[in-house]
Amino acid sequence: MTASCIIRFFPEVTMECICNEVFTASEIQNGMKNTEKKDQWLGRVFGILALYRSTRFLPNKASASDIEITKKCASELVRLHHLKSWLCTICVHALLTMLQLSHESLVPVILECCTPLFEEVSHNEDEELVAPVPLSPSSLFFLLQTQLLLHQRGIKLASPALHRLFAANAEVSPARLATLMPIYAASTTVYPKVHPLWTASIAYIQAFSDSPDVTLVEWWNAVTTAVLPTSVERKAWEPRAWLRHRTCIKVFCLLFKALPASCFGSLLNAKFTRMLQANAGGKKLLHNQTVRLFKWFLEVGASARREA
């Protein structure tokens, strides 16, 4: 925050100069230890964030220099996204910040640099072959948030290729999210945090579905069917099974807040209710979290009665 404020209030220092300084100071040197490399990678990401959080790219139409800086920063974030798995979500958040805090003339430039997240280009003799990259939790999160940002800012993409990939992607729609459950299951490894993909999905369905309450309930039914562990996984003591249990309880709380009271019965579907019952008594692994959920129900119910 301090760096972005300094950049904002000293316009006599050019953005090109600051960008070059960020990249020079965060270079990886020979002989660096892994912890030092990690500091350099994070320093580069945070330096790029400071450039755009200064809002100096927001008010005016992009100049040639702005476009070059943006290409350099966005391409570097995509490179770092592919470099280390723990950097994926951080880099996606940084790219979304760039989209949010840049003039609309820079949005296509940023998205053009982000195409490697979704398409892989290879060359065979004189042909250029484009193959889709399977969606991951971070790339699906980026795609949903990008569509929300384009919608909120009223930006239309002039390029047919960018429009097809980001604004009208055939793999993503409010109804199709229920078919992407393996991606949601893969996101549960970040517990005790909830991957931002879950909150983005709820916001996306609320913004674009013709019947958001119905679509959210259908999406939740798919979550409990495909993401909640099966009895075989539980008996095998599959480590990720418990991560998925815990994540589903947290997602249930997000939906409970997002949906009207009339949908509460639909959220408590058979599989989720059986999971709560199985963990409500005794010294179960999920006992404390289940009890906290029941107490939260009571608190929310009491609060609703007082407001009524």
Side-chain angles (χ1 to χ4, degrees):
M1 184 62 73
T2 303
S4 59
C5 287
I6 292 172
I7 295 170
R8 181 178 181 180
F9 292 111
F10 288 91
E12 60 271 18
V13 182
T14 66
M15 296 299 274
E16 185 178 8
C17 176
I18 299 169
C19 179
N20 290 336
E21 188 64 31
V22 166
F23 275 73
T24 301
S26 58
E27 283 181 354
I28 301 295
Q29 305 293 338
N30 291 332
M32 279 187 169
K33 297 178 182 178
N34 288 336
T35 53
E36 293 172 320
K37 290 180 181 178
K38 181 178 179 180
D39 289 341
Q40 292 295 90
W41 290 325
L42 289 174
R44 180 161 292 190
V45 174
F46 295 147
I48 292 171
L49 277 171
L51 289 174
Y52 288 84
R53 283 177 175 164
S54 71
T55 68
R56 281 176 59 177
F57 289 108
L58 187 58
N60 304 314
K61 188 174 180 180
S63 64
S65 175
D66 292 341
I67 291 172
E68 287 306 310
I69 292 169
T70 297
K71 285 181 178 179
K72 183 177 181 179
C73 291
S75 298
E76 179 63 10
L77 289 173
V78 171
R79 185 188 75 83
L80 292 173
H81 175 279
H82 291 316
L83 184 66
K84 294 291 181 181
S85 59
W86 58 268
L87 274 171
C88 287
T89 305
I90 298 171
C91 290
V92 164
H93 275 295
L95 287 166
L96 290 170
T97 299
M98 289 179 66
L99 285 171
Q100 191 171 18
L101 297 178
S102 295
H103 189 271
E104 64 179 58
S105 58
L106 283 174
V107 168
V109 177
I110 298 168
L111 294 180
E112 184 69 40
C113 295
C114 293
T115 54
L117 297 176
F118 305 96
E119 293 180 342
E120 188 175 38
V121 179
S122 60
H123 297 276
N124 183 14
E125 296 180 355
D126 297 331
E127 289 184 314
E128 185 178 84
L129 305 176
V130 179
V133 176
L135 289 172
S136 66
S138 60
S139 63
L140 180 56
F141 166 57
F142 179 77
L143 190 54
L144 298 180
Q145 282 296 108
T146 298
Q147 289 194 17
L148 283 167
L149 280 168
L150 293 174
H151 176 69
Q152 290 163 0
R153 296 188 62 181
I155 297 174
K156 304 293 183 183
L157 297 174
S159 164
L162 291 180
H163 178 79
R164 173 189 55 79
L165 187 59
F166 292 102
N169 193 301
E171 289 193 70
V172 175
S173 70
R176 276 193 57 81
L177 291 186
T179 68
L180 303 177
M181 287 302 127
I183 301 171
Y184 289 95
S187 77
T188 60
T189 55
V190 302
Y191 185 87
K193 294 181 179 179
V194 176
H195 196 284
L197 170 61
W198 296 92
T199 51
S201 299
I202 294 172
Y204 177 85
I205 290 171
Q206 288 177 320
F208 293 110
S209 174
D210 294 332
S211 303
D213 294 350
V214 174
T215 307
L216 280 172
V217 170
E218 291 173 349
W219 175 75
W220 171 245
N221 287 335
V223 169
T224 54
T225 299
V227 179
L228 268 180
T230 63
S231 57
V232 174
E233 289 172 321
R234 291 197 300 271
K235 288 176 182 176
W237 202 259
E238 168 63 37
R240 292 191 178 186
W242 303 106
L243 296 176
R244 301 209 300 269
H245 263 138
R246 291 176 165 94
T247 300
C248 284
I249 291 176
K250 290 199 169 190
V251 174
F252 175 87
C253 294
L254 294 174
L255 285 170
F256 189 80
K257 295 176 183 177
L259 288 168
S262 58
C263 296
F264 182 52
S266 300
L267 292 179
L268 286 170
N269 58 35
K271 190 172 181 182
F272 188 71
T273 303
R274 283 198 302 271
M275 186 272 291
L276 293 179
Q277 290 172 340
N279 290 282
K283 295 184 178 179
K284 304 282 185 175
L285 189 61
L286 293 170
H287 172 73
N288 290 337
Q289 193 172 0
T290 304
V291 170
R292 282 197 297 271
L293 181 61
F294 287 145
K295 288 181 178 178
W296 185 68
F297 287 161
L298 294 174
E299 291 171 2
V300 171
S303 175
R305 285 194 296 273
R306 284 195 299 271
E307 290 176 2

